[in-house]
Amino acid sequence: MKEKELRLALVCYGGVSLVLYMHGVIKEILKLARASKAYHSIANPERRQGKTFASLNGSDGRERDTEEAYFSLLKIIGRKLDLRVIVDSVAGASAGGISGIILARALAHDLSIDHLRNLWLEEADVLRLLAPKQRARPWSKWLLYPILWILFRLRILGLVTDREVRGKLSTFFRSRWFEPPFDGDRFLSLLFDGMSAMQRPGVKTSSLLPPGHTLDLSVTVTDMFGYPRLLEINTPTEIREREQALLWSFRFCHWLDGSAVSDLDDTNLPGLALAARATSSFPGVFPPAQLRDLDRMLELRQSPWPDRARFMKANFRDYARAGIDPAKTSFLDGSIVNDKPFSAAIKAIRERAAFREVDRRIVYIDPDPERPPPPPDGRAPGFLQTLKAALSDIPSHEPVYGELARIAGFNASIREMRAVLEAARPQIDQLVSEVVGNTSARTDGARAVQRWREAANALSAKQANYAYQVYARLKASSVLEHLIKLACELAELDRDSPQRAALATAIRAWGARRGATPPHGALPAIGSVDDGSHRAPWIDFLLHFDIDFRRRRLSFVVRALNQLYSRLGEPEFRGLDPEQVDDLKQRFQRPLSRLRTLRSGEFAYPGIRARLVALAAALDGSTNRPETVLADKFLADRIGDIMSQLSDELNLKNIDHELDQIAGSFLIKSVPRAFRHEMVLHYVGFAFWDVLTFTLPEWRDIGEHDEIRVERISPVDAVSLRVGAANSSLKGAELRHFAGFLSRSLRESDYLWGRLDGAERLIDIICDAARTDFPLDSVEIRKIKNSAFHSILDAEEKYLQDKSLVSTIRAAIDSETGA
């Protein structure tokens, strides 16, 4: 059966009290991930059809509602398409940063967030958030009473005549001025306790990410004072700028053997709580966050922070270089500098690889989408209007046009590359046929594949002529630069470190002595690699260190195999079982995962890391000058020894042999000739395709050649239960998104709509991802949505005080179904 991965990169906007809406949305994303994991816990797709989420997941003490609807949807699609849903990355700012942290932690370790409902509904209240010393007493600032009465009476504040809202708003306005009213220490404790209680009761620890996958979390934070950064220009040679935009990063890596490395578990819980507190430190409302606030809380609780050193190293490396103590700075709301962190999501997508056909989506949660402003009427703005726009409105407006334009440009490159590859296919097919000839692979498939690969390399150099010189030099220099980057990361060197520049110079000098780059002038000769003939030094260098060529080739082959599912009905593929395609792909996954691990540097043994750290420490003083580095024979010998050890650890020759054996084993199997031809065409023929695409940098890093689609989750996009524009806005959006702090009923409404809108949009996205393979009709989709809506209302009704809201929504569902 055809397989597809729906890979989601989430972007969570800021929204102050609209955190309730975002919490409802992320709850649905978490439930979808749980349903997908349960669905794929049975390897045989046919056996899944008779199962339910409850029968597979058992009773673990957690609330269960929309998981069953998502599971049923995956089962319906599973008649034709094996669809898996995976969250690749989460990026958030301010209130979206809190939601992103909670979701990422829950996804990484399959944790419950049910208890957080009460935390938000009860604790996100202005009277609970106010610091005791700041809170107004009955007669504090009594002169404001008549002014507030007029504002309420005339509805200048834009709020309904709700007695609870009026009382709390009065208390807030009359609280102590010129000091942040909300209690930052209490909020930090609430976040810490809320995330501490995210447990999976009674069940062994697991993850919602399949083995071999990584989850990245990025949270925007603003440094109030900033840190200096040095930039090189022509004149003067060096300038300084102040950097205040921070992006704190956390990662969860789930290895193929089931083990994991996590920044999202309990050992780093204080770091996660600090990130949530800092990213949501709204200026003027919360006091700035500081590391010492966290240290004080941990000391009072006698709570450890085992991963403190790793957190500080990952997120404050530039501070250490600048000689600044992070404990002495202050952090403000992340939305001040980056309210819509699309860049982090795009970066994570481009670095992430898929194991099968993939549908990549950036999904951004925008609780209060911008509406088109009225056109200017020609009148000049007044003084106060201009001042307000300059100081508040315009700086806080952050359009996403530039980020979405980047995605559109990336997708255009993908389409152009596909067109080029398709146009070149007939000629490459002919060249591969020339390489293979009449040679039979029936006796020794692996050896035959190796000979064909070598012959294809030689023929690609001959056919490309002088263009191959450019390709070969670019490829060799790219491998050398990746080695430099890898060595500097293993040596723990900052990007602006003087030692980094010296180490880079030393490695380039080693590469020059080794002959890592093809010589100028002549077309490089490609000889056989195993027949004892002389091998050019630069070819030997690539054989030992070119990880990316192997990774690109194998990704290219897996993509071609994924395309075969849609061609199984063609006459030449008659008799090809989808399980045979599955089998070949699965056998390619292990070496492909190994190549990705090698590229990341996470494979390196402690010995080589220690040697590189020691070498970097020695690159000081006079050795910092390039001419000294180039002339230092002892240093050259040390670099040579380290690179030799690195080559042994990479062991790319063994990976080549493993891949040739996998490819060769299928050549001698009884499969349709067209299947063998496609595998050979893309595995052996990649040498020709790579020459075509590698010289263009934007094509070189494209990976699986998949476009990125963008989806939005907002009240205006989920229309099944909403009538008219007035019903599409959230109640917490009033008072510049602060209204939710003033009334529990407002918070309940926004939270419930977050769940309902999230469920509707996720079902839409899943159906769209399956549309080309198994389109669902509107009636079936509506039935699944209504099932999800009813399960949400049934689950949440007992926790909500405003029962009329549930009744109104039930009536809307019944009117849609004609009940």
Side-chain angles (χ1 to χ4, degrees), residues 792-803:
I792 291 171
L793 296 176
D794 292 342
E796 298 294 350
E797 186 171 14
K798 57 181 171 292
Y799 298 103
L800 304 181
Q801 296 177 2
D802 185 2
K803 306 298 183 183

Side-chain angles (χ1 to χ4, degrees), residues 688-702:
F688 303 104
W689 263 302
D690 201 45
V691 174
L692 279 177
T693 60
F694 187 80
T695 54
L696 297 176
E698 65 270 22
W699 287 9
R700 188 185 312 161
D701 301 324
I702 278 179

Side-chain angles (χ1 to χ4, degrees), residues 444-466:
D444 188 356
R447 179 58 183 158
V449 170
Q450 180 187 346
R451 289 196 304 268
W452 295 341
R453 276 197 302 104
E454 295 163 8
N457 287 335
L459 186 58
S460 65
K462 179 181 177 181
Q463 290 290 331
N465 206 335
Y466 64 86

